[in-house]
Amino acid sequence: YATRLAYLMVTHFGMDEEMGYINLNGIKNTDLFKEKIEKRVEDILNNLKKQTEKLVTENWGKIEKLAKELLKKE
């Protein structure tokens, strides 16, 4: 699902700085952009993975505390 959202960010919503504010769904031959789109989607996913890992690392204590509370109430 994350890959699909990243793909839509690039090709449909114009949410990629490198590709610009365009909607590629209106372009008939997107094969011209295929490699670029795949690279941008991969970059987005890698960046989001790094951000997620950083957030988890920074908040691990809070996550453990919450997990313990949830287990108590289960």
Side-chain angles (χ1 to χ4, degrees), residues 5-16 19-20 22-24 36-37 40-41 44:
L5 287 177
Y7 182 83
L8 288 172
M9 286 173 62
V10 173
T11 62
H12 184 71
F13 300 118
M15 296 174 70
D16 183 68
M19 291 292 291
I22 59 172
N23 180 342
L24 293 175
K36 181 87 166 170
I37 291 168
R40 296 307 302 146
V41 168
I44 289 169

Side-chain angles (χ1 to χ4, degrees), residues 43-66:
D43 290 347
I44 289 169
L45 293 174
N46 286 334
N47 184 33
L48 291 173
K49 180 181 180 236
K50 286 177 190 174
Q51 288 179 27
T52 302
E53 289 171 344
K54 181 181 176 201
L55 284 170
V56 169
T57 300
E58 289 173 354
N59 294 289
W60 187 250
K62 294 174 186 175
I63 293 168
E64 280 187 321
K65 185 178 177 181
L66 177 61

